[in-house]
Structure formats: structure tokens, C-alpha cells
Amino acid sequence: FPVQSIVNLPAHHVRVSIEGPARTVTGDIDQLPAFAEDTVLTRPDEVGAARRILAGRPVEVVPTASVMLTLIALGRARAAAHLPAGHDTATPWDYAGAALAVHTSGGTVRAPDGRDLAHSRRPAAHAGWLATNQPPRPAELAPLMHPPQHPTECHP
């Protein structure tokens, strides 16, 4: 299981280091963007789908997984998702270190099948992930990982 990580946000001069259960943050996290509790962060190419799935909930764009997850770990946001419907997969170098930071701060990062991405024996590419740092509850965001299937319309 991963027990150590460093996530560096050089544009913001912030670094998050994890060693076992201890988290160390260097830099001024107040300069990082902060989002309302019900906002969900996602990638630029997934924002339209996320807004359709979560109609009425604010969805904001953050371009990289490590930044999204670091914002969750530092309490600047409460939820982020890499949607499994996209053509990209979430690769370990994009999420593993930051997922451990989320876990250390009391949150979770889960693959669509429920696996905890902070504690993978062998980190691997996944179809997507959902990160939360309560609230909101993960059940409220489940449609992001398992969107409802819409029957195809038949026209006579």
C-alpha cells in the first residue's frame, strides 16, 4: 500500500507531503481557489456531461487530477470526479499520490467499482474515480460513476 507521497503545485507554491498518517503542507493554501460545498470539480472535457448528470449542482473545471485531488485534501473543495464515460483512463501517476493525501485528510477516492485508490496494492489505470471529503455524501454523486442509461428514442 502506498504510504508516502508528495504532491507539488508549483504554480501556487504549495506542496503536500504524506508520510504514513502524517500530512505536511508547505505554502499558503489560502491562495488556492475555494469552492462551495456542493460544487463538483471535473476536467474540461467532462464538464458538460457532469452538468447534465448533476443538473442543478455547480460543476467547476480544474484541468488536472492531482490539482483536483489536492484541493479536496486541503478542504478547498468537497468533491471531484474523473468520469468513466470519457475515452481517457485515470492513470496512477495522475492520481496515486494525491489520493493518499485525500485519504490522510479523511476523504476517499474510489474507482467506479468501489476500490479505494489510496490503498491499491498495484496502482493501475481506471475508467474513472470519485473523490469526496464530506459533505456531500458519495451516494449523492453516484450517478457520476454510474450514469443512468437513457433508452434510445424510436421515431416512426
Side-chain angles (χ1 to χ4, degrees):
F1 297 157
V3 294
Q4 192 172 29
S5 74
I6 296 174
V7 181
N8 197 21
L9 305 180
H12 298 286
H13 307 289
V14 171
R15 175 179 277 185
V16 179
S17 303
I18 306 299
E19 188 166 348
R23 179 182 78 179
T24 303
V25 179
T26 57
D28 181 9
I29 67 169
D30 289 333
Q31 68 174 318
L32 295 172
F35 299 90
E37 279 189 358
D38 59 343
T39 301
V40 175
L41 307 180
T42 195
R43 300 169 354 142
D45 59 334
E46 297 174 343
V47 70
R51 286 182 176 148
R52 280 189 302 279
I53 293 167
L54 298 174
R57 184 184 291 268
V59 175
E60 293 291 336
V61 173
V62 174
T64 66
S66 60
V67 173
M68 279 190 271
L69 293 172
T70 302
L71 291 171
I72 300 294
L74 297 175
R76 307 302 285 177
R78 298 290 182 198
H82 176 107
L83 304 183
H87 62 280
D88 282 340
T89 56
T91 53
W93 51 86
D94 290 331
Y95 72 77
L100 189 58
V102 171
H103 171 78
T104 302
S105 65
T108 61
V109 182
R110 301 213 177 262
D113 64 5
R115 282 185 279 173
D116 181 351
L117 298 187
H119 291 97
S120 300
R121 288 193 186 273
R122 290 190 174 147
H126 292 280
W129 50 258
L130 176 62
T132 59
N133 195 352
Q134 302 300 332
R137 284 178 237 126
E140 296 172 8
L141 302 174
L144 286 171
M145 294 296 103
H146 307 286
Q149 299 298 318
H150 298 288
T152 55
E153 293 182 19
C154 297
H155 296 285

